[in-house]
Amino acid sequence: MLSTEFYFITFLLGAMVGSFLNVCIARIPKDESIVHPPSHCPNCRARIPFYYNIPLLSYVLLRGRCSSCKESISPRYFIVELLTALLAVTLYHWFGLSYTFFVTFVFAAALIVISFIDLDVRIVPDVISLPGIIVGLVLSVIGYFVFADPFEILPTPLSSLIGILVGGGFLLATAWAYEKFTGVDGMGGGDIKLLAMIGAFLGWPSVPVTLFVASILGSVIGIGLMVATGAGRRLALPFAPFLCSGALAYLFYGSQLIGFYLGD
Ligand SMILES: [Zn+2]
C-alpha cells in the first residue's frame, strides 16, 4: 500500500502546502490576506510568475534570488517547503492515508506557521492558536465518533478538553509564579494559547511531555547560544519553536517519552 509513488506524491503535495505556509508566515504578522494578492517578491513587489513559483525547485534554480530584482530571498522559503514535505512523508510513513494522517498533518502545518512567525517577529499568532484549539477539539470529536484511530495518537474528546485546560492552566500558573518571584514577564500569553492548542490536538498527556522536551531543548540551545555569542542571561529565545518540537516529539515518541518522564 505504501508504494514509492505515493511517497513521492506526498512529498510534492507537502512541498506545495509548504509554499502556502510561507505565504501565511510572511503575511499573517502584517495582517495581510493570505489569498490576495498573488505571490510577489517582498522586495520589488513584482508578481512571481507561476513557472518561478514551483516549490523547492524555483529556489534552487534561481539560486535564492528574485527573478526580477535579483535581491536575495530568505532561505526560510526553501526550509519551510522542505520541512513541510519531509513532515508529510514522515506522517504518511507512520500513519498511511488515514484520518490520523490528515489530523496530524493539519496540526504539523499549524506548528510550522507558528514556529516561523515566532522566529521572525517574536509573536505567537492568535489567529492560528485560538482557532487551533477549537479545530483540535472538533477533530478529536470526529475521530471519536466517525473514524477509528488504530494508532492511538488522537485523543478522546475528554482528553482533548482536559488538554486545553491543562495546557492553558499549567502555563498560566507557571507564568504567574515566574512573574511573582522574578518580577520579569517570562512566558508570553501566546505560548500559553499554543500549549492549549497542543493539548487540544494530542490530549492532556502531551502537555507535560511537550513542556519537558521544550525546556530541555530550550536550555541546551539557550546555554549553547550564550556560550557561543557571549550574551548574558537576558538572551531571550522565542519559546514557540521549542514547544512545537516538543509536541512533534510527543507525536512520534509519546509512549517512550512518558516512560522516561515517569522514570521507568
Ligand atoms: Zn524582486
Side-chain angles (χ1 to χ4, degrees):
M1 222 179 62
L2 302 179
S3 63
T4 318
E5 296 95 301
F6 270 93
Y7 277 103
F8 186 66
I9 292 166
T10 308
F11 184 86
L12 285 186
L13 290 175
M16 284 164 72
V17 172
S19 184
F20 172 68
L21 300 186
N22 270 319
V23 174
C24 298
I25 293 163
R27 296 190 189 178
I28 284 175
K30 294 185 213 154
D31 267 331
E32 290 174 1
S33 161
I34 52 173
V35 284
H36 187 85
S39 298
H40 53 260
C41 166
N43 181 52
C44 68
R45 323 241 2 129
R47 192 168 160 182
I48 299 170
F50 73 92
Y51 48 85
Y52 281 146
N53 208 2
I54 306 159
L56 296 170
L57 207 59
S58 294
Y59 192 87
V60 174
L61 290 178
L62 294 168
R63 299 204 173 109
R65 288 178 188 283
C66 167
S67 63
S68 175
C69 69
K70 309 292 174 212
E71 184 76 20
S72 66
I73 295 163
S74 165
R76 184 184 77 207
Y77 287 87
F78 184 82
I79 293 168
V80 166
E81 283 164 3
L82 185 62
L83 191 62
T84 313
L86 291 177
L87 267 170
V89 168
T90 309
L91 292 170
Y92 175 67
H93 181 71
W94 281 58
F95 306 128
L97 270 186
S98 62
Y99 183 68
T100 313
F101 169 82
F102 167 75
V103 174
T104 52
F105 185 64
V106 167
F107 177 60
L111 296 184
I112 290 174
V113 172
I114 288 174
S115 293
F116 281 88
I117 287 180
D118 195 24
L119 281 171
D120 197 22
V121 293
R122 299 296 174 92
I123 287 169
V124 178
D126 282 354
V127 288
I128 304 285
S129 61
L130 290 181
I133 293 172
I134 308 296
V135 170
L137 180 62
V138 168
L139 291 177
S140 81
V141 171
I142 297 174
Y144 189 73
F145 290 107
V146 185
F147 301 101
D149 170 31
F151 309 99
E152 296 181 5
I153 291 292
L154 306 180
T156 62
L158 182 64
S159 177
S160 173
L161 196 61
I162 297 173
I164 296 169
L165 299 175
V166 173
F170 212 152
L171 274 186
L172 262 182
T174 316
W176 178 81
Y178 187 83
E179 215 180 312
K180 188 99 180 145
F181 289 112
T182 63
V184 184
D185 192 4
M187 197 119 46
D191 294 326
I192 295 170
K193 290 168 225 165
L194 169 58
L195 199 62
M197 182 189 105
I198 292 169
F201 268 92
L202 299 179
W204 71 265
S206 69
V207 173
V209 175
T210 297
L211 263 182
F212 178 68
V213 175
S215 311
I216 290 181
L217 279 178
S219 310
V220 169
I221 294 178
I223 291 168
L225 280 177
M226 275 184 222
V227 171
T229 62
R233 283 182 57 201
R234 291 192 58 245
L235 177 84
L237 285 176
F239 198 50
F242 296 116
L243 287 173
C244 294
S245 309
L248 288 180
Y250 177 83
L251 175 59
F252 291 118
Y253 299 105
S255 44
Q256 289 98 314
L257 285 165
I258 287 177
F260 182 63
Y261 198 66
L262 297 175
D264 56 39

